């Protein structure tokens, strides 16, 4: 550490696997957006420029597929990890420390709106706020629907051997509009709510380093801090890793 | 004799002659082939327009494909459509039914037979498969079979010949009894592998193919050859499984100690270990790690400090194998990204001057390094501690390379590579000349030579995590860990 005199206490937030998967999804998603929209807007100069960069429209398609395989691979690895976490390590997939939506998320949303309009105190978020949960579920659900419609377009002969042909056109339409939605959520909403908030501007580092300074934890996630304190008192051990 | 009677007599004779000619024209096939479209239209049929034939339809559209097929099939669907070859009738009829069941049913005739729409109406280039399809990769057929024309496998005709002028195995135009064969069949046969392979790969074949059907080069072959991400032979699979088991056992052994100073479950140790790796990668320490990988692992700086001679022997083997690994991965990438490009064509062709020289040169370097190390072991100074295990490792690699060269010579001889091309295989070609002095059944022997090389390679791979060559994994790792401890 650079400044040994002021070692800040850190709380582990993301495991190495989670950080790695974030890198894969981040790079894969940027690649998907870039190549996908260049394919969709192949009549525009910028679409043609990107196609030229990778050596033509068919290569653009293959880069798109490669990014898709990598991104969806991250989803598969994550689901396998969840199974391992639940079955082998005996962890809980629901509760305050999980991504599972709870009633508190909805009251947090209401409190947050009030807070934004200066009509109430700030909501006391837990380990994952409703915004972060929305980000997570958007990827988990979105990647599956994009994956299915994408596969229909990748292997139209096989799918049309048991599905009506118009579903391929439908898949193309859904794939495009959901891409617009996904890009809007990830490149605008996610980047703003996670990285461009005044507290962490210009970058939320904990998804890359895996650790969060304890001062920020107390400030931003008081509910998690209280739970950690309670656990530490209950077990008599250290609540902080 | 009046003028009118003379005219009528000559006119009558003329008419008879004309009718006879027309009758002969229609009745005797082969006077002119595909004459039907030249006929005047039958009663009730509209007159032909020039542009019915003299236009190039848009072959990208269904309409263009169908109109082009209809035009060609006007003649080629008829039994009378034949051609004279050496006084024999060769049918040129295309069976519409067989074609419509095939994968090419929505492809225009002109798409493949690109040079037929001209006068005289015949092709010199044949069907151009490679204008749409790239060559096969290693996973489909062993070696890309660059000296075999597409139709040799993808056609019902079973008579094959080696055309020395082009260096290609092609469909023969004549059967065993020297009778001409029509090649107008358009069904792509079901590619049940063995049946098709054995068209050429049987003892006593005339096209220079090995008598044995050999498996594709699998993933273990990547170390030195352009290979495929497949298993290849079951033996390769076995070697791969043994190697993976060895690696897992090695990793288990490592994780028995404390990881990053911590004890706990295996899960906890993996988590701690990966945390350390993560912190190293995303910090300035990564520069040091890269330096170690480049100088100590790749260039073997530590060994160079100990002994220049030993470094030289080791590098001859190690760097050559690393170069070959890099080249085979590069070839795989190029082949998969630009399968029809000239770079891929050069890299996957074992006889291409660059590829042939690269392979022979690096192979020779490995062999030289092994021989020098063996000599050092036998006559060298006493401080070289020679263990039986070390000698075994050297013997396996050395024999593998020797078997490789022996098989290469046999391949060049067997496949009759043109000397001007083969000479770039500067080890394999002289060997092939040497083998040519022994009148052996090289087509039969080649399979065994290939397996000798391949099984030694499989042994090498299976042996990696167990014996002497375990240092390939442990040395770089301990170098990296020690760097952090210093």
């Amino acid at each position: 550490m650079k400044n040994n005199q002021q070692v800040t206490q850190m709380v582990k937030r993301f495991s190495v696997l989670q950080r790695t998967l974030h890198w894969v999804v981040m790079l894969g998603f940027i690649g998907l957006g870039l190549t996908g929209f260049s394919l969709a807007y192949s009549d525009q100069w910028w679409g043609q420029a990107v196609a030229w960069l990778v050596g033509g429209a068919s290569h653009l398609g293959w880069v798109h597929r490669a990014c898709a395989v990598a991104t969806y691979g991250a989803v598969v690895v994550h689901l396998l990890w969840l199974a391992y976490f639940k079955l082998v390590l005996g962890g809980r997939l629901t509760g305050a420390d999980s991504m599972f939506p709870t009633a508190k998320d909805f009251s947090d949303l209401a409190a947050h709106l009030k807070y934004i309009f200066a009509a109430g105190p700030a909501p006391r978020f837990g380990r994952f706020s409703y915004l972060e949960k929305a980000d997570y579920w958007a990827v988990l659900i979105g990647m599956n629907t994009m994956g299915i419609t994408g596969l229909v377009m990748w292997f139209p002969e096989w799918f049309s051997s048991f599905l009506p042909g118009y579903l391929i056109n439908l898949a193309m339409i859904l794939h495009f509009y959901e891409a617009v939605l996904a890009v809007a959520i990830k490149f605008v909403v996610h980047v703003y709510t996670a990285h461009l908030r005044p507290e962490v501007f210009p970058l939320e580092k904990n998804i890359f380093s895996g650790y969060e300074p304890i001062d920020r934890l107390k400030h931003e996630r008081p509910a998690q801090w209280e739970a950690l304190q309670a656990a530490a008192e209950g077990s008599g051990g250290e609540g902080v890793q | 004799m009046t003028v009118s009677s003379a005219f009528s007599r000559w006119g009558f004779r003329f008419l008879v002659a004309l009718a006879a000619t027309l009758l002969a024209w229609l009745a005797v096939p082969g006077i002119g082939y595909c004459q039907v479209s030249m006929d005047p239209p039958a009663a009730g049929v509209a007159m032909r327009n020039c542009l019915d034939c003299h236009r190039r339809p848009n072959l990208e559209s269904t309409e263009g494909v169908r109109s082009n097929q209809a035009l060609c099939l006007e003649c080629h669907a008829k039994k009378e459509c034949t051609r004279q070859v050496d006084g024999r009738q060769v049918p040129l009829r295309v069976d519409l039914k067989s074609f419509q069941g095939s994968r090419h049913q929505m492809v225009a005739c002109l798409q493949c037979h690109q040079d037929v729409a001209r006068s005289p109406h015949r092709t010199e280039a044949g069907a151009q498969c490679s204008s749409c399809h790239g060559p096969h990769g290693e996973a489909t057929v062993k070696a890309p079979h660059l000296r075999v024309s597409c139709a040799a496998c993808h056609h019902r005709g079973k008579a094959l010949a080696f055309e020395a002028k082009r260096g290609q195995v092609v469909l023969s135009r004549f059967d065993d009894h020297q009778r001409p064969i029509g090649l107008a069949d358009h069904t792509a046969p079901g590619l049940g592998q063995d049946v098709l392979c054995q068209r050429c790969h049987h003892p006593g074949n005339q096209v220079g193919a090995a008598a044995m059907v050999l498996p594709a080069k699998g993933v273990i072959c990547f170390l030195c050859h352009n290979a495929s991400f497949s298993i290849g032979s079951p033996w390769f699979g076995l070697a791969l499984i043994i190697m993976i088991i060895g690696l897992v056992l090695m990793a288990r052994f490592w994780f028995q100690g404390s990881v990053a100073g911590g004890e706990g479950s295996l899960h906890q140790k993996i988590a701690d270990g990966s945390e350390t790796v993560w912190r190293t990668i995303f910090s300035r320490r990564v520069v040091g790690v890269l330096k170690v990988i480049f100088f100590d692992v790749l260039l073997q700086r530590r060994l160079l400090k100990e002994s220049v001679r030993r470094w030289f022997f080791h590098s001859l083997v190690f760097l050559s194998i690393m170069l070959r690994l890099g080249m085979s991965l590069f070839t795989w990438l190029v082949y998969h990204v630009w399968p029809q490009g000239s770079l891929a064509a050069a890299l996957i062709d074992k006889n291409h001057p660059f590829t042939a020289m690269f392979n022979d040169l690096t192979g020779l370097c490995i062999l030289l390094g092994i021989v020098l190390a063996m000599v050092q072991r036998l006559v060298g100074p006493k401080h070289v501690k020679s263990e039986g295990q070390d000698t075994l490792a050297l013997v396996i690699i050395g024999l593998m390379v020797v078997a490789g060269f022996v098989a290469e010579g046999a391949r060049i001889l067997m496949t009759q590579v043109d000397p001007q091309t083969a000479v770039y295989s500067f080890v394999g070609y002289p060997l092939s000349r040497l083998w040519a002095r022994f009148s052996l059944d090289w087509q039969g022997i080649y399979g065994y030579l290939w397996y000798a090389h391949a099984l030694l390679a499989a042994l090498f791979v299976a042996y990696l995590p167990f014996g002497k060559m375990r240092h390939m994994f442990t040395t770089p790792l301990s170098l990296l860990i020690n760097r952090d401890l210093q």
Side-chain angles (χ1 to χ4, degrees), chain B residues 412-444:
Chain B
I412 291 172
L413 174 66
M414 176 182 78
T415 56
Q416 303 167 41
V417 183
D418 164 37
Q420 284 188 335
T421 312
V423 79
Y424 290 98
S425 308
F426 60 91
V427 180
Y429 180 62
L431 281 175
S432 79
R433 293 294 89 212
L434 185 63
W435 299 161
R437 294 181 161 268
F438 304 96
S439 57
L440 297 170
D441 171 25
W442 287 107
Q443 296 183 349

Coordinates of all heavy atoms in Angstrom, one line a residue, chain B residues 412-444:
Chain B
I412 N 6.4 -37.4 -48.3 CA 6.8 -36.7 -49.5 C 6.9 -37.7 -50.7 O 6.5 -37.5 -51.8 CB 8.1 -35.9 -49.3 CG1 7.8 -34.8 -48.3 CG2 8.7 -35.4 -50.6 CD1 9.0 -34.0 -47.9
L413 N 7.5 -38.9 -50.3 CA 7.7 -39.9 -51.4 C 6.3 -40.5 -51.8 O 6.0 -40.5 -53.0 CB 8.5 -41.1 -50.8 CG 8.7 -42.3 -51.7 CD1 9.5 -41.9 -52.9 CD2 9.4 -43.4 -50.9
M414 N 5.5 -40.8 -50.8 CA 4.2 -41.4 -51.1 C 3.3 -40.5 -51.9 O 2.6 -40.9 -52.9 CB 3.6 -41.8 -49.8 CG 2.2 -42.4 -49.8 SD 1.7 -42.7 -48.1 CE 1.2 -41.1 -47.6
T415 N 3.2 -39.2 -51.5 CA 2.3 -38.3 -52.2 C 2.9 -37.7 -53.4 O 2.2 -36.8 -54.0 CB 1.8 -37.2 -51.2 OG1 3.0 -36.5 -50.7 CG2 1.1 -37.8 -50.0
Q416 N 4.0 -38.1 -53.8 CA 4.7 -37.6 -55.1 C 4.7 -36.1 -55.1 O 4.2 -35.5 -56.1 CB 4.0 -38.2 -56.3 CG 3.9 -39.7 -56.3 CD 3.0 -40.2 -57.3 OE1 2.9 -39.7 -58.4 NE2 2.2 -41.3 -56.9
V417 N 5.2 -35.5 -54.1 CA 5.3 -34.0 -54.1 C 6.3 -33.6 -55.2 O 7.4 -34.2 -55.3 CB 5.7 -33.5 -52.7 CG1 5.7 -31.9 -52.8 CG2 4.7 -34.0 -51.7
D418 N 5.9 -32.7 -56.0 CA 6.8 -32.2 -57.0 C 8.2 -31.7 -56.4 O 8.2 -30.9 -55.5 CB 6.1 -31.0 -57.7 CG 7.0 -30.1 -58.5 OD1 7.9 -30.7 -59.1 OD2 6.8 -28.9 -58.5
P419 N 9.3 -32.2 -56.9 CA 10.6 -31.9 -56.3 C 10.9 -30.4 -56.1 O 11.4 -30.0 -55.1 CB 11.6 -32.5 -57.3 CG 10.9 -33.6 -58.0 CD 9.5 -33.1 -58.0
Q420 N 10.4 -29.6 -57.0 CA 10.6 -28.1 -56.9 C 10.0 -27.6 -55.6 O 10.4 -26.6 -55.1 CB 10.1 -27.4 -58.1 CG 11.1 -27.6 -59.3 CD 10.7 -26.7 -60.4 OE1 9.5 -26.3 -60.6 NE2 11.6 -26.4 -61.3
T421 N 8.9 -28.2 -55.2 CA 8.2 -27.8 -54.0 C 8.8 -28.5 -52.8 O 9.0 -27.9 -51.8 CB 6.7 -28.2 -54.1 OG1 6.2 -27.7 -55.4 CG2 5.9 -27.6 -53.0
A422 N 9.0 -29.8 -53.0 CA 9.4 -30.7 -51.9 C 10.8 -30.3 -51.3 O 11.1 -30.5 -50.1 CB 9.4 -32.1 -52.3
V423 N 11.6 -29.6 -52.2 CA 13.0 -29.3 -51.8 C 13.0 -28.4 -50.6 O 14.0 -28.3 -49.8 CB 13.8 -28.8 -53.0 CG1 13.5 -27.3 -53.2 CG2 15.3 -29.0 -52.8
Y424 N 12.0 -27.6 -50.4 CA 12.0 -26.7 -49.2 C 11.9 -27.5 -47.9 O 12.2 -27.0 -46.8 CB 10.8 -25.7 -49.3 CG 11.0 -24.7 -50.4 CD1 10.4 -24.9 -51.6 CD2 11.8 -23.6 -50.2 CE1 10.6 -24.0 -52.7 CE2 12.0 -22.7 -51.2 CZ 11.4 -22.9 -52.4 OH 11.7 -22.0 -53.4
S425 N 11.4 -28.7 -47.9 CA 11.4 -29.6 -46.7 C 12.8 -30.2 -46.7 O 13.1 -31.3 -47.2 CB 10.4 -30.7 -46.8 OG 9.1 -30.2 -47.1
F426 N 13.8 -29.4 -46.2 CA 15.2 -29.7 -46.5 C 15.7 -30.9 -45.7 O 16.8 -31.4 -45.9 CB 16.1 -28.5 -46.3 CG 16.1 -28.0 -44.9 CD1 17.0 -28.4 -44.0 CD2 15.1 -27.0 -44.6 CE1 16.9 -27.9 -42.7 CE2 15.1 -26.5 -43.3 CZ 16.0 -27.0 -42.3
V427 N 14.9 -31.4 -44.8 CA 15.2 -32.7 -44.1 C 14.4 -33.8 -44.7 O 14.9 -34.8 -45.1 CB 15.0 -32.6 -42.6 CG1 15.4 -33.9 -42.0 CG2 15.8 -31.5 -42.0
G428 N 13.1 -33.5 -44.9 CA 12.2 -34.5 -45.4 C 12.5 -34.9 -46.8 O 12.4 -36.1 -47.1
Y429 N 12.8 -34.0 -47.7 CA 13.0 -34.3 -49.1 C 14.2 -35.3 -49.3 O 14.0 -36.3 -49.9 CB 13.1 -33.1 -49.9 CG 13.3 -33.4 -51.4 CD1 12.3 -34.1 -52.1 CD2 14.4 -33.0 -52.1 CE1 12.5 -34.4 -53.4 CE2 14.6 -33.3 -53.4 CZ 13.6 -34.0 -54.1 OH 13.8 -34.3 -55.4
P430 N 15.4 -34.9 -48.7 CA 16.5 -35.9 -48.9 C 16.1 -37.3 -48.3 O 16.5 -38.3 -48.9 CB 17.6 -35.3 -48.1 CG 17.3 -33.8 -48.0 CD 15.8 -33.7 -48.1
L431 N 15.4 -37.3 -47.2 CA 15.0 -38.6 -46.7 C 14.1 -39.3 -47.6 O 14.2 -40.5 -47.8 CB 14.3 -38.4 -45.3 CG 15.2 -38.1 -44.1 CD1 14.3 -37.8 -42.9 CD2 16.1 -39.3 -43.8
S432 N 13.2 -38.6 -48.3 CA 12.3 -39.2 -49.2 C 13.1 -39.8 -50.4 O 12.7 -40.9 -50.9 CB 11.2 -38.2 -49.7 OG 11.8 -37.4 -50.8
R433 N 14.1 -39.1 -50.8 CA 15.0 -39.7 -51.9 C 15.7 -41.0 -51.4 O 15.8 -41.9 -52.2 CB 16.1 -38.7 -52.3 CG 15.6 -37.4 -53.0 CD 14.9 -37.7 -54.4 NE 13.5 -38.0 -54.2 CZ 12.8 -38.8 -55.0 NH1 13.4 -39.4 -56.0 NH2 11.5 -39.0 -54.8
L434 N 16.1 -40.9 -50.1 CA 16.7 -42.1 -49.6 C 15.7 -43.3 -49.5 O 16.0 -44.4 -49.9 CB 17.2 -41.8 -48.2 CG 18.0 -42.8 -47.4 CD1 19.3 -43.2 -48.2 CD2 18.3 -42.4 -46.0
W435 N 14.5 -43.0 -49.0 CA 13.5 -44.0 -48.9 C 13.2 -44.6 -50.3 O 12.8 -45.8 -50.4 CB 12.2 -43.5 -48.3 CG 12.2 -43.0 -46.9 CD1 11.3 -42.2 -46.3 CD2 13.2 -43.2 -45.9 NE1 11.6 -41.9 -45.0 CE2 12.8 -42.5 -44.7 CE3 14.4 -43.9 -45.8 CZ2 13.6 -42.5 -43.6 CZ3 15.2 -43.9 -44.7 CH2 14.7 -43.2 -43.6
A436 N 13.2 -43.7 -51.3 CA 12.9 -44.2 -52.7 C 13.8 -45.3 -53.1 O 13.4 -46.1 -54.0 CB 12.9 -43.0 -53.6
R437 N 15.0 -45.4 -52.5 CA 15.9 -46.5 -52.9 C 15.4 -47.8 -52.4 O 15.9 -48.9 -52.9 CB 17.3 -46.2 -52.4 CG 17.9 -45.0 -53.0 CD 19.3 -44.7 -52.4 NE 20.0 -43.8 -53.4 CZ 20.8 -44.3 -54.4 NH1 20.9 -45.6 -54.5 NH2 21.4 -43.4 -55.2
F438 N 14.6 -47.8 -51.4 CA 14.0 -49.1 -50.9 C 12.7 -49.3 -51.5 O 11.8 -48.5 -51.3 CB 13.9 -49.0 -49.4 CG 15.2 -48.7 -48.7 CD1 15.5 -47.4 -48.3 CD2 16.2 -49.7 -48.4 CE1 16.7 -47.1 -47.6 CE2 17.4 -49.4 -47.8 CZ 17.6 -48.1 -47.4
S439 N 12.5 -50.3 -52.2 CA 11.2 -50.6 -52.9 C 10.3 -51.2 -51.9 O 10.1 -52.4 -51.9 CB 11.4 -51.4 -54.1 OG 12.0 -52.6 -53.8
L440 N 9.8 -50.5 -50.9 CA 8.9 -51.0 -49.9 C 7.5 -50.5 -50.2 O 7.3 -49.6 -51.0 CB 9.4 -50.5 -48.5 CG 10.7 -51.0 -48.0 CD1 11.1 -50.3 -46.8 CD2 10.7 -52.5 -47.8
D441 N 6.6 -51.0 -49.5 CA 5.2 -50.6 -49.6 C 5.0 -49.4 -48.7 O 4.5 -49.5 -47.6 CB 4.3 -51.7 -49.2 CG 2.8 -51.3 -49.2 OD1 2.5 -50.3 -49.8 OD2 2.0 -51.9 -48.4
W442 N 5.4 -48.2 -49.2 CA 5.4 -47.0 -48.3 C 4.0 -46.6 -48.0 O 3.8 -46.0 -46.9 CB 6.2 -45.9 -49.0 CG 7.7 -46.1 -49.0 CD1 8.4 -46.5 -50.1 CD2 8.5 -46.1 -47.9 NE1 9.7 -46.7 -49.7 CE2 9.8 -46.4 -48.3 CE3 8.3 -45.8 -46.5 CZ2 10.9 -46.5 -47.5 CZ3 9.4 -45.8 -45.7 CH2 10.7 -46.2 -46.2
Q443 N 3.1 -46.9 -48.8 CA 1.7 -46.5 -48.5 C 1.2 -47.3 -47.3 O 0.4 -46.8 -46.5 CB 0.8 -46.7 -49.7 CG 1.1 -45.8 -50.9 CD 0.2 -46.0 -52.0 OE1 -0.6 -46.9 -52.0 NE2 0.3 -45.1 -53.0
G444 N 1.7 -48.6 -47.2 CA 1.3 -49.4 -46.1 C 2.0 -49.0 -44.8 O 1.5 -49.0 -43.8

